[in-house]
Amino acid sequence: MDLALRDLKDHPDQQIHDAIVQEEWRHALQLIEKREKKLKKGQTNDWLTACKASVLLMLPEPAKRRQGRILLDSLYSKSPPVADFNAVETIRSFAELRHESDPRMDNLWTQAANAQPSDEQLHKRWFLSCFRMRDWQGARKAGMTYTKHFPNNREPFFWTIFANFMASKTLPDGNTEKQLCGTMAYRMCAKAVEAVALDPDQELRTGRVIRTLDDIVFLLDVYESQGKYEEAIQVLESDRTGIKSGIGRRSWKLVILKIRLLGSAHRWLDQFKFCFELLEDANSINDRPSVHGFGKLGNDGYVWTELVNAALSLKFSSWMVDGEATWVPCTAPERWSLRADICSDAETSKIAVRDAVDRNYYKYSRLAVASLLDGYNIDRNAMCAGMLWASELERDVRGENLATKAFEYFETYGHKTFCFNDLQPYIGAMQPPVMRSFLHKVRGWLMGRRYGFNHLDHDRPFDPNMLMAKTNALKLEYCLIYSQDRRLDEVDKEANMENFIVECIKYYHFSLENSGNNAEQPKEFAERFPGDEAGLLAAAALLKFCRETQNGQMLRAMMLLDELITRSPAMYEVFGTLTLLYVRMGAGSLAAKTYHGLSIKNIQLPTLPWLLWTRLSTVHPHRPQLKDSTLRNDSRISKAEADPVQHLTQALDHHVHLRETDQQEILEFLQAKQYASLHRAIDNSLHNHNGFVKYLLLTERARTERLSGLQQKRDYRDLFDQPARTYDNRDKISVPHWEHPDSTPLLLQVMPGEWPTDEWLSHQMSIAHTFDQVSNGGVSKQKPDLYLIPTAYSEPEKSMTREEHSQYQTAVECQALLNLSESKGADEAARTAASWSVSASLESIEKRQQAVIDELRTIRDREHEYFWVMSDEVTAPSWLFFHVTYTNLDTAMLIKKTLDAVETGNRKLRIYDPQPAGEQIARIRKLCDELKAIIHDLALKLNEELSFDKYHEPMVHSIIGRPSDPCENDPIAYWLRDHFNRGKDNVDKVTKAYVLRLCEAWCEALRNLCKLTSRS
């Protein structure tokens, strides 16, 4: 509860304030009434009245609420108006808490300010009250009133600019005020620029002036938001406010802004010229004076990228030239010359002149880029720019020049960890023949250094840098060949894929044997050795290689990843991939344990928990009961630490804390008058609080509590204070992303189900809202406008499973029934219509439940869809089996709660005819109980079948094959057996221990399902 009364100390009203902040409404009411008795006869206290009215409106009794509404109306209509800003801000804070908006509330501030125009503190409090609640329309009104009464003050002037700027950004496009607010902000900024004098000693004595670098950056943000690019460029080129001015102080931030603004204004030639001069200064080898004075700082990746983009844009731009002098580079572009003769041979028509100028601009820009790239030789930024130039220029041809530049880059930086990440954005433009030639050159380069793909000489000197080059080469081959979805010959591809996986396993094992003996490895390999990435690459290829019926390949990948966890604890990609795979396997307890190994920092809590919690509530909603064998890989992990609910609570607590720290940081920027930093802090805060992960955690937590029966002390409803337009802040770098740009990412292949979107989240919020409403007597405690309230059926979203869409449709019917049960004063005609609506909704629910039961009865007949099939005798439940069962149990719970609420409401109000509806309700209850019994029998039978003695041999053979099998039959199994057989334990012992942990996790999940279905 955020109230204005923050600075009361040893004041009689401090106890009231404390009770309100802690939301102890009845205690606060008692203190208010006690305080009112101490007032003298005829004396009034507006703050006490505001508190009493607001507290009464928070109580559940209708009589109390009516009394509070009467008191609040008396304050709105009071004459003379309320002048106590504590009272006004209290009314506003409570209105926000109740999600109410009353136009009379804004009039209270206006009346108070007009009654005391010289009270500067009141004007500040008005603005800050609106600012804290992000009411930008109210803030701009407060700022303009403040500026009107204190015209020479700097603070209200810039506050008004900021409020108008934020209002123009946040108002919807159709709002008529949007353009007005933006224009006002721009004009006020223009006045601030005009007030800057060339001589600081002659500066106008006004607060409405640009003074700091932060002011310039904020002004440029305003100009850019209004599309005033030319005016913004003029500001940066001005002697008073430009880059070289006393305010600009040659800031590199302003240089980057100027490059961006030149591009936004489509001034490609000026952008090219500016970037070229910066790069020429950075590579200057003679004593000529620098053009801009930034020196080596000019060799920036962003400058190179924009130089190339500007040159490419010149090829497609249209210029209207009337023969005047034009800036173009010379053929040897060490200087820029003023050339007016490039149009001398053109025809007189403007079109011909334009075409001639276009051709010459593009011709000279190509020469300039080529010369500049030659001058930088082996510079990383320049080589990346060269690949960008080649990939864009040769997009529609073979890409031979791109392949040449990519190979030159690999020769220079192939031993660096960043090599593949730099190459990946560009190499996808190569055509297949050129791509094969490029890979052949890479192989030849490695062969020349005795690190060839098929050249294993264990006597050669061990070189970690060359091993990194080998790993980067394997990544290139995986990206360009094996990760692509389109294949010319699937059979040949699979054979080559086997050889590729074997090669990755060999090099991973070679690294494992030699890295411990190399004490002088480079610092960049201190936490993750390059050979370990070869092991991760083998796992990624196995996951790409496996088919629906080849679950052994997935087990092999998971076993390699499990070993990498202890080998390279700093490789987040291993933990992220394995966490998703365990959830997909239905082994929720192992997923929780693996996720804990990520050692997530507080800064990652808003972005990483989706790895574990995407659909986990319908796969493993219970606390894990981990055995010692499950925890053996890391003795530091306790059972409590591996509890996923604890991680979820930690993440949500962080969001609560983050909201408070963000608000504090934002207010500090406002007080420090750093408006550009303030703008970015507000944007970051919106990204945090509107983040997809936060809403995902809230919906998953609600379902986990429902299914597990464990209620947490904190309900986190106060986190539902932002619109449901989410910002996708899911961190995807925790899963390898080495695929070709046109192929399916590995992330989507290992996820349980489809990738959740905003539409998926809206449907989940609708279900959560319906559950909250039916659990609280028909009144949801959550903000209603957050949800896509179900009003009609919709087509299944691509991101939703069939069960999720079915549950949403059931929520539609339940919501309709709840709305009917809340109607009052129904006459006979209305009762007849309500009876028909209730009957239709119940019939739809009954049919859907019957269809679910029919499908569950035949679930064992579709084993390849719902189970992991290792052999004819060995099947284990997959994530989809648990997802189907838990989602349908959750739906049955919603149905029964809704039926209870509907029957209770009808007994009180007689909304519909109870006789026919009662028979339908009885049948639906019976179907819900039958569904529960079927799921219980399924889980019980599967748990009895899941025996380690029965499963371990087929599963071990599917991972490492049989010792008697020759290498030719299954080379991957042969080399995995060879790899795991060289450790401290033999391969059979290691594999059996891994299979045992999987079986324990499956059995635990099935036992939890049995417990849930056994509850009444």
Side-chain angles (χ1 to χ4, degrees):
M1 183 64 196
D2 187 17
L3 288 173
L5 202 59
R6 292 290 184 186
D7 53 355
L8 288 180
K9 294 181 180 179
D10 301 326
H11 191 280
D13 295 342
Q14 182 65 48
Q15 291 181 331
I16 299 175
H17 171 258
D18 293 341
I20 290 174
V21 170
Q22 295 171 13
E23 299 187 5
E24 298 175 355
W25 308 126
R26 297 191 186 279
H27 179 55
L29 183 60
Q30 292 175 358
L31 293 173
I32 291 170
E33 291 174 345
K34 183 178 179 181
R35 178 78 171 85
E36 283 179 332
K37 293 179 181 179
K38 296 181 180 180
L39 295 176
K40 296 180 180 178
K41 187 175 181 180
Q43 183 182 1
T44 59
N45 187 316
D46 290 338
W47 182 76
L48 278 178
T49 305
C51 288
K52 185 175 183 180
S54 301
V55 168
L56 286 168
L57 287 169
M58 298 303 297
L59 295 176
E61 295 85 357
K64 297 285 188 183
R65 291 185 180 184
R66 284 194 297 270
Q67 183 183 354
R69 185 63 62 187
I70 292 171
L71 285 175
L72 190 58
D73 291 341
S74 68
L75 289 173
Y76 284 143
S77 59
K78 183 180 178 183
S79 181
V82 177
D84 185 350
F85 48 74
N86 277 327
V88 178
E89 193 161 2
T90 298
I91 295 172
R92 185 182 185 87
S93 297
F94 272 100
E96 179 71 16
L97 187 63
R98 296 192 306 271
H99 316 305
E100 289 183 0
S101 179
D102 192 328
R104 295 179 298 174
M105 186 167 49
D106 292 331
N107 293 334
L108 287 178
W109 278 114
T110 306
Q111 292 168 359
N114 291 334
Q116 304 179 61
S118 60
D119 190 343
E120 187 174 3
Q121 189 66 19
L122 188 148
H123 291 286
K124 284 185 177 182
R125 292 289 288 272
W126 182 8
F127 180 88
L128 291 175
S129 173
C130 299
F131 178 86
R132 279 200 302 270
M133 297 178 185
R134 306 294 183 266
D135 177 10
W136 302 118
Q137 286 283 64
R140 65 182 286 265
K141 185 176 180 181
M144 287 188 292
T145 305
Y146 189 5
T147 304
K148 175 183 176 182
H149 293 296
F150 297 89
N152 293 324
N153 286 16
R154 173 182 173 82
E155 194 171 63
F157 181 75
F158 278 91
W159 282 6
T160 305
I161 295 176
F162 190 85
N164 278 287
F165 172 56
M166 293 304 299
S168 69
K169 283 187 60 177
T170 55
L171 286 172
D173 292 335
N175 194 301
T176 55
E177 295 286 325
K178 184 179 181 71
Q179 185 61 38
L180 175 64
C181 294
T183 303
M184 185 173 293
Y186 160 69
R187 289 178 177 175
M188 294 178 75
C189 285
K191 290 181 180 179
V193 172
E194 293 172 0
V196 179
L198 283 173
D199 186 356
D201 296 332
Q202 298 177 357
E203 187 173 290
L204 299 177
R205 293 185 177 182
T206 175
R208 306 180 180 190
V209 65
I210 299 293
R211 292 178 179 173
T212 65
L213 174 63
D214 192 85
D215 290 346
I216 296 177
V217 176
F218 172 60
L219 176 144
L220 294 175
D221 287 342
V222 175
Y223 278 32
E224 191 172 11
S225 70
Q226 297 304 305
K228 306 292 184 180
Y229 306 121
E230 293 291 346
E231 291 84 347
I233 294 169
Q234 291 174 13
V235 170
L236 288 172
E237 293 176 346
S238 167
D239 293 334
R240 296 181 296 177
T241 58
I243 297 172
K244 298 180 181 180
S245 69
I247 301 175
R249 296 177 299 178
R250 294 185 178 274
S251 169
W252 184 250
K253 182 187 295 186
L254 295 183
V255 172
I256 299 298
L257 285 173
K258 182 177 179 180
I259 295 172
R260 190 178 75 200
L261 288 166
L262 286 168
S264 300
H266 293 184
R267 288 172 55 176
W268 311 120
L269 184 63
D270 291 330
Q271 187 185 33
F272 185 90
K273 173 181 178 292
F274 187 55
C275 293
F276 185 90
E277 290 172 344
L278 288 170
L279 292 167
E280 196 177 39
D281 289 347
N283 197 38
S284 178
I285 56 176
N286 50 33
D287 296 331
R288 69 173 181 81
S290 173
V291 178
H292 296 287
F294 289 98
K296 298 296 181 182
L297 194 62
N299 185 11
D300 185 273
Y302 180 78
V303 178
W304 276 106
T305 301
E306 292 306 309
L307 173 82
V308 174
N309 289 335
L312 292 170
S313 298
L314 285 171
K315 181 179 180 180
F316 306 105
S317 61
S318 295
W319 301 87
M320 299 305 295
V321 180
D322 293 323
E324 73 272 13
T326 312
W327 283 103
V328 296
C330 297
T331 54
E334 296 181 358
R335 287 285 188 276
W336 287 85
S337 302
L338 197 63
R339 296 281 304 277
D341 59 334
I342 63 172
C343 302
S344 59
D345 297 331
E347 299 177 8
T348 55
S349 68
K350 289 186 177 182
I351 296 178
V353 171
R354 181 197 65 196
D355 292 341
V357 173
D358 283 349
R359 288 195 298 271
N360 279 277
Y361 279 155
Y362 184 55
K363 172 185 174 182
Y364 288 123
S365 66
R366 290 188 65 179
L367 292 171
V369 172
S371 174
L372 200 58
L373 290 172
D374 290 341
Y376 272 85
N377 198 6
I378 60 172
D379 180 76
R380 179 187 175 189
N381 290 330
M383 297 184 85
C384 288
M387 288 188 288
L388 174 63
W389 175 263
S391 64
E392 293 293 332
L393 185 66
E394 302 172 2
R395 180 179 295 175
D396 298 324
V397 293
R398 292 168 57 85
E400 293 177 352
N401 188 30
L402 171 61
T404 301
K405 292 185 178 298
F407 179 68
E408 290 173 356
Y409 183 89
F410 185 84
E411 281 186 306
T412 308
Y413 293 107
H415 62 287
K416 296 293 185 181
T417 56
F418 54 74
C419 174
F420 176 77
N421 292 335
D422 284 354
L423 287 170
Q424 189 180 17
Y426 312 112
I427 56 179
M430 296 181 191
Q431 295 298 310
V434 178
M435 177 190 68
R436 287 192 287 269
S437 175
F438 166 69
L439 290 175
H440 181 73
K441 287 182 180 180
V442 170
R443 293 190 191 100
W445 186 85
L446 287 168
M447 287 289 289
R449 287 152 182 79
R450 301 169 68 196
Y451 270 82
F453 280 63
N454 298 303
H455 188 82
L456 282 173
D457 181 6
H458 290 277
D459 295 330
R460 65 185 181 276
F462 181 76
D463 185 356
N465 287 321
M466 286 307 302
L467 191 61
M468 188 70 248
K470 170 66 179 179
T471 303
N472 283 324
L474 289 171
K475 288 182 182 179
L476 288 171
E477 186 171 6
Y478 171 78
C479 173
L480 292 174
I481 298 179
Y482 301 113
S483 72
Q484 295 194 57
D485 298 329
R486 293 178 285 107
R487 296 287 180 268
L488 297 178
D489 188 345
E490 289 290 329
V491 177
D492 180 65
K493 183 268 300 183
E494 289 187 7
N496 291 334
M497 176 77 91
E498 284 189 348
N499 296 333
F500 174 77
I501 293 170
V502 167
E503 189 67 21
C504 291
I505 294 172
K506 288 180 181 180
Y507 267 86
Y508 169 54
H509 186 75
F510 174 75
S511 167
L512 204 63
E513 285 185 332
N514 290 274
S515 60
N517 301 325
N518 186 53
E520 297 182 358
Q521 58 183 359
K523 291 182 180 179
E524 59 183 319
F525 301 148
E527 293 186 349
R528 49 188 298 166
F529 206 72
D532 297 341
E533 291 199 337
L536 180 56
L537 193 58
L542 281 165
L543 293 170
K544 277 281 183 181
F545 184 37
C546 69
R547 297 290 180 268
E548 292 181 0
T549 58
Q550 293 176 322
N551 295 314
Q553 304 291 9
M554 184 176 290
L555 290 174
R556 291 171 179 177
M558 292 170 67
M559 195 166 174
L560 274 173
L561 294 172
D562 191 67
E563 183 189 39
L564 279 168
I565 282 179
T566 56
R567 161 79 174 158
S568 293
M571 290 182 69
Y572 268 38
E573 301 97 321
V574 177
F575 288 90
T577 307
L578 195 55
T579 297
L580 289 171
L581 283 172
Y582 278 136
V583 175
R584 189 174 179 85
M585 291 287 287
S589 56
L590 289 178
K593 176 253 179 182
T594 305
Y595 176 78
H596 176 78
L598 278 167
S599 300
I600 293 178
K601 309 298 185 293
N602 283 343
I603 196 173
Q604 297 169 307
L605 286 173
T607 59
L608 268 182
W610 71 270
L611 281 169
L612 178 64
W613 278 99
T614 301
R615 296 190 173 94
L616 184 67
S617 64
T618 57
V619 177
H620 196 281
H622 303 276
R623 293 183 184 275
Q625 303 296 322
L626 300 178
K627 296 186 178 181
D628 293 337
S629 60
T630 307
L631 299 170
R632 69 174 182 84
N633 286 343
D634 193 344
S635 59
R636 296 170 297 174
I637 300 178
S638 67
K639 295 180 180 180
E641 290 174 325
D643 181 6
V645 177
Q646 179 175 334
H647 293 299
L648 184 146
T649 303
Q650 180 186 6
L652 291 177
D653 286 341
H654 176 73
H655 277 287
V656 174
H657 177 69
L658 189 64
R659 185 177 57 178
E660 297 173 356
T661 55
D662 282 355
Q663 180 73 357
Q664 181 180 356
E665 181 186 28
I666 287 169
L667 288 174
E668 287 175 357
F669 280 130
L670 181 66
Q671 293 167 0
K673 302 176 179 61
Q674 298 177 3
Y675 301 104
S677 302
L678 174 63
H679 172 215
R680 281 151 185 77
I682 291 176
D683 280 350
N684 291 335
S685 177
L686 287 174
H687 286 168
N688 288 332
H689 301 315
N690 288 351
F692 187 95
V693 175
K694 183 184 82 169
Y695 291 100
L696 170 70
L697 294 179
L698 287 166
T699 54
E700 290 289 295
R701 180 183 182 276
R703 182 181 284 111
T704 299
E705 287 186 351
R706 295 195 300 267
L707 292 173
S708 66
L710 299 174
Q711 297 294 326
Q712 302 294 318
K713 296 180 180 178
R714 180 77 183 270
D715 61 9
Y716 297 104
R717 285 193 177 92
D718 52 337
L719 288 181
F720 283 96
D721 59 350
Q722 298 288 341
R725 294 172 294 174
T726 66
Y727 168 74
D728 191 357
N729 60 343
R730 285 171 285 188
D731 189 347
K732 305 175 185 67
I733 64 170
S734 295
V735 176
H737 48 287
W738 302 326
E739 289 77 28
H740 190 275
D742 296 333
S743 65
T744 303
L746 181 66
L747 171 63
L748 299 183
Q749 189 168 341
V750 300
M751 275 208 56
E754 297 296 326
W755 181 253
T757 61
D758 263 355
E759 289 74 17
W760 175 89
L761 188 59
S762 295
H763 285 78
Q764 297 303 309
M765 287 179 169
S766 305
I767 297 167
H769 169 75
T770 307
F771 259 109
D772 190 63
Q773 185 175 354
V774 79
S775 300
N776 293 282
V779 179
S780 176
K781 296 182 180 179
Q782 298 174 359
K783 201 172 181 179
D785 56 344
L786 288 172
Y787 305 95
L788 177 66
I789 303 299
T791 56
Y793 293 117
S794 63
E795 293 297 322
E797 293 290 340
K798 292 181 179 179
S799 59
M800 297 175 68
T801 65
R802 185 174 52 186
E803 288 70 29
E804 287 168 343
H805 183 69
S806 176
Q807 186 178 28
Y808 171 74
Q809 288 182 314
T810 302
V812 171
E813 302 291 353
C814 291
Q815 186 70 54
L817 289 171
L818 289 172
N819 293 338
L820 283 171
S821 66
E822 294 173 6
S823 59
K824 297 180 181 180
D827 55 17
E828 192 62 32
R831 188 175 294 110
T832 301
S835 299
W836 184 88
S837 299
V838 168
S839 178
S841 296
L842 292 175
E843 182 181 359
S844 178
I845 292 173
E846 184 178 359
K847 287 181 178 179
R848 195 174 297 111
Q849 286 299 98
Q850 185 63 57
V852 169
I853 289 174
D854 294 340
E855 185 173 349
L856 286 173
R857 291 186 188 279
T858 60
I859 198 171
R860 294 301 295 267
D861 298 334
R862 300 187 302 280
E863 289 188 335
H864 286 288
E865 184 178 355
Y866 295 99
F867 298 88
W868 296 112
V869 181
M870 311 299 170
S871 66
D872 293 338
E873 298 83 17
V874 177
T875 58
S878 72
W879 77 273
L880 190 55
F881 170 80
F882 291 111
H883 177 73
V884 169
T885 53
Y886 279 119
T887 303
N888 284 315
L889 287 171
D890 195 37
T891 305
M893 192 182 305
L894 174 61
I895 292 171
K896 295 179 80 171
K897 285 178 175 287
T898 303
L899 296 180
D900 290 341
V902 168
E903 288 186 317
T904 302
N906 193 53
R907 281 195 294 268
K908 294 180 179 178
L909 303 173
R910 294 284 298 176
I911 302 166
Y912 60 87
D913 188 356
Q915 184 60 32
E919 296 175 359
Q920 288 180 295
I921 289 174
R923 290 197 302 269
I924 294 173
R925 289 185 188 277
K926 186 177 179 181
L927 288 174
C928 291
D929 294 337
E930 187 178 354
L931 180 142
K932 205 172 184 181
I934 292 173
I935 293 175
H936 179 81
D937 293 341
L938 269 173
L940 197 62
K941 186 175 181 180
L942 284 170
N943 191 38
E944 292 172 354
E945 294 175 357
L946 235 168
S947 167
F948 172 74
D949 295 334
K950 177 182 175 183
Y951 276 41
H952 85 272
E953 187 173 348
M955 290 181 69
V956 168
H957 290 165
S958 66
I959 297 174
I960 59 172
R962 300 176 186 272
S964 58
D965 292 343
C967 177
E968 294 78 12
N969 289 358
D970 192 348
I972 298 175
Y974 177 85
W975 285 104
L976 276 176
R977 191 164 59 246
D978 179 73
H979 169 71
F980 287 111
N981 219 19
R982 297 184 187 182
K984 296 180 181 179
D985 300 320
N986 62 59
V987 62
D988 291 329
K989 184 177 180 181
V990 172
T991 313
K992 286 181 180 179
Y994 186 71
V995 171
L996 175 61
R997 296 201 301 276
L998 273 175
C999 289
E1000 287 176 350
W1002 280 324
C1003 289
E1004 177 198 333
L1006 290 169
R1007 286 195 300 268
N1008 286 330
L1009 186 56
C1010 288
K1011 290 179 182 177
L1012 175 61
T1013 52
S1014 298
R1015 293 203 316 246
S1016 57

